Amino acid sequence: MDSSSTRRQATRQKLYEAAVTLIAEQGFSATTVDEIAERAGVAKGTVYYNFASKSVLFEELLRHGVELLTASLRDAAESTTRAGGGSADALDAMVRAGLVFIERYPSFTQLYVAELWRTNRSWNSTLMAVRQETVAVVEGVLRTGVERGELSGDIDVPLTSAALVGMVLVAALDWRSFQPERSLDDVHAALSRLLQGRVGGGA
């Protein structure tokens, strides 16, 4: 990547961070491009140079964030598998990776969960597509586990995959908002016990 591409990527990252913080604080409609530019420390024209509109910026922000989450889940599962872990271990590693991501990006996670339930946004189809990529990573591990007899053959793979992603997102938001004194290890242990009780057990 050349220096101009690196600079542009750094600028876009600043704009993402500014936008997600402001929108989490005051909502999408109330947030202006001027405020995003000011928070990012760039000229207003820089926003429009990188994104055609505030809506495009937010759509790309959602895509960028969910792709980061998906990559972290995939890396956790693949690393566990390479180290000799089974499917239950890979699922547990993904739960932890999800918690780590949410601890690092709480404002983004809050926005993402809120936007999942809105139906009148121009970026809804994009959000559904990237959400499915995240769920598909979990689906792949569950299917492999069922096929190998490591996980219960009674599992409804599509629904369970979505439920696991939702469990981590909502439980982590609850942790950050209402139980911040608890450690990541503590929250991970609680979710691990829940996970083992729901999907564990050979066919």
Side-chain angles (χ1 to χ4, degrees):
M1 187 180 288
D2 62 32
S3 59
S4 63
S5 295
T6 302
R7 276 197 307 274
R8 186 169 190 214
Q9 203 57 42
T11 299
R12 289 169 76 92
Q13 187 61 38
K14 280 185 193 174
L15 291 170
Y16 286 144
E17 290 170 5
V20 76
T21 304
L22 285 164
I23 293 167
E25 288 172 0
Q26 58 195 31
F28 177 78
S29 298
T31 300
T32 66
V33 171
D34 284 339
E35 288 173 317
I36 293 170
E38 183 180 352
R39 180 71 65 97
V42 302
K44 182 177 179 179
T46 302
V47 180
Y48 290 116
Y49 175 73
N50 285 274
F51 304 99
S53 67
K54 184 178 71 169
S55 290
V56 170
L57 166 56
F58 193 51
E59 180 172 350
E60 287 302 309
L61 163 65
L62 289 168
R63 182 196 296 276
H64 175 70
V66 180
E67 285 176 350
L68 283 178
L69 172 60
T70 302
S72 69
L73 298 181
R74 184 182 294 112
D75 290 347
E78 291 176 351
S79 296
T80 302
T81 301
R82 282 196 301 271
S87 298
D89 299 315
L91 289 169
D92 189 59
M94 286 195 287
V95 168
R96 185 174 187 86
L99 292 174
V100 168
F101 176 90
I102 293 160
E103 183 178 46
R104 185 175 179 187
Y105 304 109
S107 294
F108 169 78
T109 307
Q110 186 178 348
L111 283 179
Y112 173 50
V113 171
E115 289 299 319
L116 278 174
W117 308 114
R118 298 185 194 275
T119 57
N120 60 342
R121 303 295 210 191
S122 62
W123 50 77
N124 192 251
S125 60
T126 294
L127 191 56
M128 291 304 101
V130 292
R131 172 208 165 272
Q132 185 51 41
E133 289 174 16
T134 305
V135 174
V137 175
V138 183
E139 278 191 21
V141 173
L142 281 174
R143 287 191 196 285
T144 298
V146 171
E147 288 166 4
R148 292 177 177 172
E150 297 172 356
L151 303 177
S152 169
D154 295 332
I155 292 173
D156 180 323
V157 171
L159 190 58
T160 302
S161 302
L164 287 174
V165 172
M167 176 186 77
V168 173
L169 288 171
V170 175
L173 285 176
D174 188 273
W175 161 44
R176 302 304 299 161
S177 298
F178 304 117
Q179 305 178 63
E181 72 283 355
R182 299 183 68 165
S183 69
L184 189 148
D185 286 341
D186 185 26
V187 176
H188 176 218
L191 294 185
S192 290
R193 285 190 290 272
L194 182 60
L195 176 68
Q196 295 298 335
R198 294 302 177 204
V199 302

